[in-house]
Amino acid sequence: MGKRIARKSTTILICILSVVIIGYSFGLFQGDKKYDDDISKVIYEVVGEKKVYYEGKEDADLDVVAIMYNYVVYDYQDGNLLMDMAEAVNALIKEKKDDQKIHIVIWGKMPGGTEPVVSLRNYYKNEEGYEQYEFLQCLYIYGNDISYMGDDSIYNKASTYINLPGIKSLVIEKKIAQSAEDEGINWYEIWPELEHYKVLEK
């Protein structure tokens, strides 16, 4: 009787450990990393840890001295998430009067890992160099993998991004360009200061 109970307990423990190991492998039990500077702190204060998971920061480009902040999105229903983050960071930039180049990337989960969904920068980079902006005014929109998030993902809809303030540079995937056409969105009407517009070829 005692051996049977011991075997049953061991089996249950192995099952629990297997679930935990698999969960960590797929990022199900990740805890939010502690904010480590003013920008990650102000983003934490405005969106908390239930909407995005902070993966930390790193150097963004080899030829441009920029800091890239990486976030994995948890809340796929909050259409104001990116705007809230941008407004908080822009307010901090205005307060600090800092000319540090900043690159914020939102990643989405997909089978086997993550994919970039959208990013904001305070500089625009091209073959000739880069332009420094005062605020986060360079927007890259990639969208979600439709097969993973479904056709109705808010990050695949152009209208999700129209409330972002003062965009001057816009780079988008073809599916976002198609969404803008379907929704009757003219980017130049949304952002009169738009200087650069590019649709990625894939």
Side-chain angles (χ1 to χ4, degrees):
M1 184 73 167
K3 290 182 180 179
R4 190 178 302 166
I5 293 172
R7 278 199 300 269
K8 189 173 182 180
S9 298
T10 301
T11 302
I12 291 171
L13 180 60
I14 290 172
C15 289
I16 291 172
L17 287 172
S18 298
V19 169
V20 170
I21 290 170
I22 293 171
Y24 272 107
S25 298
F26 285 92
L28 299 178
F29 303 116
Q30 289 176 323
D32 193 38
K33 284 189 178 178
K34 186 72 173 176
Y35 50 79
D36 47 18
D37 64 7
D38 289 341
I39 289 177
S40 55
K41 181 180 180 181
V42 77
I43 290 176
Y44 175 83
E45 289 172 346
V46 74
V47 299
E49 61 184 31
K50 293 184 178 179
K51 293 182 180 290
V52 292
Y53 162 68
Y54 179 45
E55 287 199 317
K57 61 186 180 182
E58 59 186 292
D59 292 337
D61 295 295
L62 294 176
D63 54 343
V64 177
V65 180
I67 300 175
M68 181 164 67
Y69 296 82
N70 296 295
Y71 289 87
V72 177
V73 64
Y74 281 157
D75 187 346
Y76 285 96
Q77 304 304 315
D78 186 354
N80 294 319
L81 177 64
L82 191 63
M83 184 181 68
D84 292 341
M85 294 172 71
E87 288 182 342
V89 173
N90 284 341
L92 181 64
I93 292 173
K94 184 176 182 179
E95 176 190 339
K96 297 288 186 180
K97 294 181 171 57
D98 191 353
D99 61 355
Q100 171 66 56
K101 295 175 186 62
I102 299 164
H103 185 180
I104 295 173
V105 184
I106 302 295
W107 299 81
K109 289 187 177 181
M110 62 180 296
T114 56
E115 61 177 351
V117 174
V118 57
S119 74
L120 276 167
R121 308 176 187 182
N122 65 345
Y123 65 95
Y124 175 72
K125 178 184 172 185
N126 58 26
E127 296 79 11
E128 299 174 358
Y130 66 87
E131 293 178 52
Q132 177 83 38
Y133 294 139
E134 186 178 2
F135 301 113
L136 297 176
Q137 294 171 291
C138 178
L139 174 64
Y140 278 68
I141 309 174
Y142 307 103
N144 290 123
D145 181 349
I146 293 177
S147 64
Y148 178 58
M149 290 307 302
D151 292 329
D152 60 346
S153 167
I154 63 170
Y155 290 103
N156 289 332
K157 295 179 179 178
S159 55
T160 298
Y161 307 94
I162 61 176
N163 291 323
L164 286 167
I167 298 301
K168 292 186 175 182
S169 296
L170 177 64
V171 180
I172 60 176
E173 292 280 5
K174 282 185 176 180
K175 62 185 174 185
I176 307 300
Q178 184 61 55
S179 172
E181 184 178 334
D182 294 342
E183 296 184 84
I185 292 173
N186 183 324
W187 298 115
Y188 290 95
E189 291 179 357
I190 300 299
W191 298 305
E193 296 179 337
L194 190 62
E195 300 169 347
H196 306 286
Y197 175 53
K198 179 180 180 181
V199 178
L200 296 172
E201 296 294 331
K202 272 194 173 181

